[in-house]
Amino acid sequence: MKILRLLPVLICLFLVASCQGVKENETSSSAEVTAPTAPEASAAPAAPPAMPAEKLTGKWQRTDGGYVIEIKSLTQDGKLDVGYFNPNPINIGRAAWQNDGGRIMVLIELSDVNYPGSTYSLEYRPQGDMLTGSYFQAVEKQTYPVEFSRMK
């Protein structure tokens, strides 16, 4: 039951960390404001960022061991179809992604023997084609920095 009480805290920490990058970007430069040269009839709303399926789908191996995340597909509403292996399959409780101001974030919660409530909070890093972030090992109540590289 203690693990269930920690889940909302972990989700909040993930969201706060995600939002901090947006606040930093908002303060970067507001001095460069220019007026339009010609009147515009009707401004079209900005298109949402493209869904990053081509960036996240694939197999990712943790750089410090044989743990593998396989992202099979994702949906526009933030759901992921994911497998996790060590080397045998480990049950996934839930998996989600979000595009947070251009930062692609992934959350994977495990729900298996020795893993209940353990959580990966990852960010896709296009430079290096990596998933980096943290792993909360719920049984040990420890958080570790982790990196996954794409398997070729």
Side-chain angles (χ1 to χ4, degrees):
M1 289 300 163
K2 290 180 182 181
I3 293 171
L4 292 176
R5 283 188 246 146
L6 287 175
L7 185 57
V9 173
L10 291 173
I11 292 170
C12 288
L13 289 174
F14 177 75
L15 293 174
V16 167
S18 300
C19 292
Q20 285 178 346
V22 172
K23 289 179 184 175
E24 291 170 6
N25 290 338
E26 288 175 353
T27 60
S28 63
S29 173
S30 60
E32 297 181 24
V33 176
T34 58
T37 55
E40 297 178 20
S42 65
M51 191 165 88
E54 71 281 353
K55 295 178 183 177
L56 291 179
T57 56
K59 289 186 177 181
W60 303 86
Q61 184 169 14
R62 211 162 100 178
T63 57
D64 64 343
Y67 303 95
V68 173
I69 293 172
E70 181 180 9
I71 300 177
K72 300 169 190 167
S73 65
L74 53 101
T75 63
Q76 194 70 34
D77 63 352
K79 293 180 183 144
L80 287 173
D81 181 11
V82 175
Y84 183 68
F85 307 90
N86 178 27
N88 296 321
I90 296 170
N91 290 324
I92 304 288
R94 66 186 180 100
W97 73 275
Q98 71 177 16
N99 187 336
D100 181 25
R103 294 174 56 212
I104 301 167
M105 309 301 291
V106 173
L107 179 68
I108 300 170
E109 181 184 332
L110 308 177
S111 66
D112 210 331
V113 176
N114 298 323
Y115 296 93
S118 295
T119 308
Y120 280 104
S121 299
L122 305 168
E123 178 179 355
Y124 174 70
R125 304 281 183 170
Q127 56 286 57
D129 196 29
M130 305 275 294
L131 292 172
T132 64
S134 62
Y135 172 61
F136 173 70
Q137 212 300 333
V139 173
E140 297 174 4
K141 295 180 179 46
Q142 294 288 321
T143 301
Y144 304 96
V146 293
E147 292 184 334
F148 287 83
S149 59
R150 187 182 301 275
M151 296 174 69
K152 305 286 183 201

